[in-house]
Amino acid sequence: MSDPLQAALKVAASGLSAQSTRLRIVSENLANAQSTGKTAGSEPYRRKTVSFATELDRTTGVETVRIAEVGKDTSAFTEEYDPSHPAADSKGYVKYPNVNMVVEMADMREANRSYEANLQVVKQARELIAMTVDLLRNS
């Protein structure tokens, strides 16, 4: 097994990468929350989801996190009656994305906090490594 502080850095770095991707997906969902189809009856933007998986890093012997899949939310679209809209179907209904702003904001807040926690682990590990080097240098 390698140095525990380096292993902690590896785990935290994988968390930073995973949460960064999650934040990107949430921002895509928020940006497209009102994106309808371009033609009559076409489907609008479909909400994206992120799935995580653990992965054993054989060099350090620690479990890291990675993005397993960026999928599509299969829940129903919302429909509004607006016959003048270019994406309205033959009955005058327009399909809007299945993006719930409250859910996206909660996901964004959780991903942000997880990112900050992993960043704090990196800072602490770097500080401990620097302290160890100083201790060895002054011995």
Side-chain angles (χ1 to χ4, degrees), residues 52-69:
F52 298 106
T54 58
E55 188 172 73
L56 177 65
D57 183 338
R58 296 193 189 283
T59 58
T60 58
V62 297
E63 296 268 338
T64 59
V65 66
R66 66 174 176 80
I67 300 295
E69 176 186 21

Side-chain angles (χ1 to χ4, degrees), residues 56-112:
L56 177 65
D57 183 338
R58 296 193 189 283
T59 58
T60 58
V62 297
E63 296 268 338
T64 59
V65 66
R66 66 174 176 80
I67 300 295
E69 176 186 21
V70 175
K72 301 268 185 173
D73 184 348
T74 59
S75 63
F77 297 118
T78 57
E79 292 184 349
E80 290 182 23
Y81 184 73
D82 185 2
S84 65
H85 195 285
D89 62 14
S90 60
K91 297 177 185 173
Y93 285 93
V94 180
K95 292 180 184 177
Y96 283 93
N98 56 350
V99 175
N100 182 330
M101 298 295 261
V102 174
V103 170
E104 296 305 322
M105 294 303 287
D107 279 354
M108 180 174 59
R109 189 175 195 122
E110 184 181 332
N112 189 40

Side-chain angles (χ1 to χ4, degrees), residues 12 19 35 53 75 79 89 92 104 108 115 117 120 129 132:
Q19 295 304 332
S35 299
S75 63
E79 292 184 349
D89 62 14
E104 296 305 322
M108 180 174 59
Y115 187 92
Q120 191 61 36
I129 290 169
T132 303

